[in-house]
Amino acid sequence: MQRVDEGAGRLGRFRSLFAPLPVLQRVEERWFWFFIAPFVVGFLLFALAPLIASFALSFMEWNLRGTPTIVGLDNYADLADLDGKGKIVLKAFSNTVMITVIAVPMQLIIGLAFAMLLNQKVKGMALFRMAFYLPTVVAGVATAALWRWILGSEGLVNRALEIVGVAGPAWFNEPESVRWGIIFMLIWAGTGGMTLIFLAGLQQISKDILEACECDGAGRFRRFFSITLPLLSPTLFFNLVIGLIGGLSLFTETYVVSGGGGGPANESMSVALLIYRLLIRNLDFGFGSAVAWLLTAIVLLLTIVNFRLSKRWVFYDN
Amino acid sequence: MISPGRVAIYAALTLFSLLFLLPFIWQLGTSLKTPAEIATGTFTLFPAEPQWENYAEVFRRAPIATWFFNSAFIAIVGTIGATLTSAFCAYGFAVLHARGSRLAFGMVLLTILVPYQVLIIPEYIVWAKLGLINTPLPILLPWFLGGGAFNIFLLRQFMLGLPRDMVDAARVDGANELHIFARIILPMCAPALAIVAVFHFIYMWNDFLRPLLYLPDPSAMTLPVGLSGFVSKFARQWHLLLAGSVVALAPLLIVFALAQRVIARGISITGVRR
C-alpha cells in the first residue's frame, strides 16, 4: 500500500487507508465504474435480481392475484412426481435434449464440412458464403412458417417423397414426426452460422504448417485429423458451447410449429415453451420458477463439464 | 486447367447454396399464386400469373402495417441503445484500468451462459405489476443498460486492438475520459460499431419471446408475433401465410443485401474470438 502524504502524521496515515492508490489511478478507477455503470445496473436488474427472485419463487405458490405463500420444497416435489405435474416437465426436457443432441452435432459436422469446401480458394466465395448464411440471418417466425408449409402434408418434401413412392407424414401434425421436422428446420437454419465461424477459424491456420506436413508425406486425412482439427478445436468448442445453450433454450420454432401448444401430444413441447405456458397460461409462477431453475442448473452444469472436458481436447496455441 | 476435383467442389457448393436459397424463392413464388394453383401441387417455382392481390388481402385482413411499424421502431431504437451502451461499457473494459475489472468482465461473460428463458417469470411479474405490458419499455430498457454481452465483448476486443498513444496523448492534453471516448475512440470504432448495429438489428427484428410476452395486444404487436398468429388463422391459406412472411423477411433481406460486407467482416471477427 502506498502512502499518499508522507510524514503527514496520524491523520495522513488514517487517510491513506481510504486512499490506497495514487490520485491518477484513483481517478481512473472512478471513470471505469462510471463507464461500466450501465452494465452493472443492467446486470443487477435484469440478470441477478430475476435469477434470485425466481429461485425464491420456486419455494412459493403464487398466481399474481393473492399474496405469495411459502410452500417449501413442494414445487420440487411436484417436479419429481412423474405421474402428476412432473410428467410434462420430463417430457419437455426429454424432447429438448433429444432435439439438441441430434441437431447440434449435425450442425457442427455439416458446418465444418461446408467450411472446408468454402476454404478451397473458390472463386465467388463471398457469394456462396452469403447463400449459406442467409437462413441463419432470417431464422425466426417467418422461416418457421415457411417450414410448416414445406413440411406440410402436401408440402414440398412430401411431394418429392411421393415421386419415389413414399407417403410422407404431415410432419408437424403427427407425434412421431414433429420433432424430426424441428430438427430438420434447426439444421437448415443453424448450419450457416457455424459454417462461417468455422471458416474464419480455418483461415487462421497457417498454410506453412499444412504444407510442411504435406512435404512430410502426410495424406489428406492425416493432415485433417493431426493438424486442422486440433488447431480448429477452440472454434469447435465455441460453436459447441453456443450451440448447446441455443438448443436447450429452444422456443420460437416449437411455438410456431405447434401454435404455442407444444403438440401434437406434447411431442414438440420444449422446456422454454413449458416455462412460457406455466407463466402466461397457468399463472403457476412457483412451479414455473422451479422448472426454470432446473434448466439453469442443467445449462450451467453442462457448461462447467464442457469447460472441464475441453482441457483434454481443445488446443490453444498461445 | 480445371481439375475434376475443382468441378466437384463447385458442383457441391452450388447444390448446397440452392438447397439454402430455394425455399425463399419458392416462398416468394407461392405467395403470388392463387390457392387453386397451389393446390394442384406442381413444382413450379413461379406463378402462372402473379397475384399481387394476395398481399393486398393480407394487409386488409391483419394490421400488418401497424405491426411492421412496431417492429421497425423497436428494432431501430433497441439497436441504437445497444450499440451506444455496449461501446460505452467496452471503453471501460478496454481502456481503463481498475481493480475488479476482471471480475466485472467475468460477469459480462457469465450473462451469455444464462438462458433468457429462465429469467422471464420474475421479469414479467415486475413489468405487469408496474402496468407496463403493451409498452415497448420492457423490451427496450435492458438494451440501454449494458447493450448485451456479445456486443460488449466484440467492441472491447476491437478497442484493445487500437493504438493507445492517442488516448495517452489526449490525457496529457487534459482531455477527460468522456471526451476521449466520444471524440477519439468512438470514431475509430466505426467499423466495429457497424457490425454490432447490423447484427443487433437482425437479432431484434427476429426476436420473438420478448415481444410475445410484453406486447400481446394486436395494436402493440411486432411482426413476428402477429405472423405467429397467422399459422392458425390462415391454417390452409398458404398464399396468405407466405405473403405475410415475405413482408416480415423483406427488411432483413434488404439489410442483408446492403450490409453484406459488414456481416462478412463481423463473422470473421466474432469467429476469431476465444
Side-chain angles (χ1 to χ4, degrees):
Chain A
M1 218 182 278
Q2 290 156 282
R3 288 238 192 109
V4 173
D5 207 355
E6 203 76 43
R10 201 170 273 217
L11 187 64
R13 253 174 310 188
F14 179 69
R15 267 193 192 148
S16 74
L17 280 176
F18 293 91
L21 292 172
V23 176
L24 266 178
Q25 231 166 305
R26 218 165 64 215
V27 170
E28 186 166 348
E29 283 211 345
R30 253 182 237 155
W31 277 113
F32 170 79
W33 291 105
F34 173 76
F35 271 95
I36 72 158
F39 166 74
V40 173
V41 175
F43 177 75
L44 295 177
L45 284 183
F46 296 110
L48 200 59
L51 212 55
I52 294 169
S54 77
F55 187 62
L57 272 173
S58 73
F59 299 101
M60 296 177 195
E61 205 171 276
W62 193 24
N63 60 10
L64 203 58
R65 306 225 184 288
T67 45
T69 42
I70 293 170
V71 293
L73 291 169
D74 278 11
N75 289 321
Y76 289 96
D78 283 345
L79 274 184
D81 176 18
L82 297 181
D83 295 318
K85 264 178 139 179
K87 197 177 174 192
I88 181 79
V89 180
L90 182 66
K91 187 77 201 131
F93 270 98
S94 72
N95 288 341
T96 310
V97 168
M98 179 240 178
I99 291 170
T100 306
V101 161
I102 297 174
V104 173
M106 290 301 282
Q107 290 171 343
L108 290 172
I109 294 168
I110 300 172
L112 181 55
F114 284 173
M116 302 281 292
L117 267 181
L118 283 173
N119 200 31
Q120 304 290 317
K121 274 198 187 156
V122 186
K123 267 189 194 142
M125 202 258 264
L127 215 65
F128 287 122
R129 203 167 53 181
M130 285 295 129
F132 281 36
Y133 193 56
L134 187 64
T136 304
V137 168
V138 298
V141 175
T143 44
L146 171 67
W147 277 97
R148 229 185 113 89
W149 174 60
I150 291 178
L151 289 173
S153 55
E154 292 131 36
L156 184 62
V157 169
N158 281 0
R159 278 183 199 151
L161 287 174
E162 234 166 65
I163 294 174
V164 289
V166 181
W171 291 80
F172 295 125
N173 295 328
E174 282 163 37
E176 298 79 29
S177 54
V178 61
R179 279 173 302 185
W180 290 102
I182 294 172
I183 288 169
F184 208 64
M185 200 156 92
L186 290 179
I187 293 172
W188 181 78
T191 302
M194 292 210 180
T195 302
L196 295 209
I197 293 177
F198 275 131
L199 184 61
L202 282 174
Q203 290 174 341
Q204 295 279 304
I205 297 175
S206 98
K207 297 271 177 300
D208 301 352
I209 301 177
L210 286 170
E211 272 162 22
C213 190
E214 204 174 348
C215 287
D216 291 343
R220 209 174 266 272
F221 285 94
R222 187 68 203 276
R223 260 177 298 160
F224 176 74
F225 285 107
S226 310
I227 306 290
T228 310
L229 210 52
L231 285 175
L232 202 61
S233 57
T235 314
L236 186 62
F237 180 62
F238 174 80
N239 272 341
L240 178 72
V241 170
I242 298 300
L244 286 178
I245 294 174
L248 291 176
S249 46
L250 175 71
F251 180 80
T252 306
E253 287 80 2
T254 51
Y255 185 98
V256 175
V257 153
S258 66
N266 289 326
E267 290 292 324
S268 73
M269 180 68 78
S270 74
V271 181
L273 184 57
L274 179 66
I275 296 172
Y276 169 81
R277 288 181 64 83
L278 287 170
L279 167 66
I280 296 291
R281 304 278 159 94
N282 304 17
L283 298 176
D284 198 347
F285 300 154
F287 188 60
S289 295
V291 177
W293 256 87
L294 190 61
L295 179 63
T296 315
I298 288 175
V299 169
L300 290 182
L301 205 70
L302 189 74
T303 309
I304 291 169
V305 169
N306 249 327
F307 271 91
R308 278 281 160 82
L309 286 179
S310 77
K311 288 187 183 127
R312 298 204 191 146
W313 64 273
V314 177
F315 171 78
Y316 293 102
D317 58 353
N318 51 356
Chain B
M1 261 318 277
I2 302 172
S3 67
R6 294 206 73 74
V7 174
I9 289 171
Y10 278 104
L13 283 173
T14 312
L15 181 75
F16 290 126
S17 300
L18 281 179
L19 204 65
F20 283 126
L21 295 179
L22 216 54
F24 295 110
I25 301 166
W26 212 41
Q27 173 185 28
L28 185 66
T30 309
S31 75
L32 292 169
K33 289 180 181 174
T34 61
E37 194 180 353
I38 297 171
T40 57
T42 44
F43 272 111
T44 49
L45 269 182
F46 296 104
E49 214 175 300
Q51 304 292 313
W52 300 106
E53 167 59 23
N54 290 350
Y55 284 83
E57 194 181 341
V58 162
F59 272 81
R60 256 199 321 273
R61 293 185 48 183
I64 289 207
T66 309
W67 297 343
F68 193 95
F69 175 80
N70 292 340
S71 270
F73 175 79
I74 284 177
I76 290 169
V77 177
T79 300
I80 293 171
T83 309
L84 288 182
T85 13
S86 58
F88 197 74
C89 294
Y91 181 85
F93 287 118
V95 179
L96 300 168
H97 298 282
R99 295 162 298 172
S101 165
R102 282 175 67 91
L103 181 75
F105 194 63
M107 295 292 118
V108 173
L109 298 183
L110 201 66
T111 56
I112 297 178
L113 302 181
V114 181
Y116 175 67
Q117 284 80 349
V118 306
L119 308 173
I120 60 174
I121 294 179
E123 254 192 52
Y124 182 84
I125 294 172
V126 171
W127 289 117
K129 288 272 176 201
L130 291 172
L132 290 168
I133 303 296
N134 286 320
T135 71
L137 202 66
I139 296 171
L140 292 178
L141 186 64
W143 295 120
F144 281 84
L145 295 171
F150 272 117
N151 298 338
I152 296 179
F153 189 95
L154 194 144
L155 288 170
R156 171 184 168 269
Q157 291 296 89
F158 191 87
M159 287 180 191
L160 285 174
L162 296 174
R164 272 197 73 92
D165 321 3
M166 292 177 76
V167 174
D168 294 334
R171 278 188 191 154
V172 171
D173 287 347
N176 73 28
E177 301 295 331
L178 265 179
H179 187 97
I180 298 173
F181 167 70
R183 292 292 163 82
I184 298 172
I185 296 293
L186 213 50
M188 285 204 286
C189 283
L193 292 174
I195 291 167
V196 168
V198 167
F199 276 83
H200 200 77
F201 179 85
I202 292 170
Y203 174 83
M204 291 216 67
W205 188 274
N206 283 330
D207 192 16
F208 182 61
L209 179 53
R210 269 165 270 230
L212 182 70
L213 280 173
Y214 297 121
L215 303 171
D217 193 89
S219 67
M221 272 181 189
T222 61
L223 204 42
V225 178
L227 199 63
S228 75
F230 277 21
V231 174
S232 44
K233 189 179 177 187
F234 299 139
R236 292 274 152 225
Q237 292 163 295
W238 293 113
H239 61 298
L240 297 181
L241 178 60
L242 293 173
S245 26
V246 168
V247 176
L249 287 181
L252 289 179
L253 296 181
I254 292 168
V255 167
F256 189 71
L258 292 178
Q260 268 194 50
R261 284 205 182 155
V262 174
I263 289 172
R265 192 150 23 88
I267 296 155
S268 19
I269 290 182
T270 44
V272 175
R273 74 171 153 219
R274 293 277 149 88

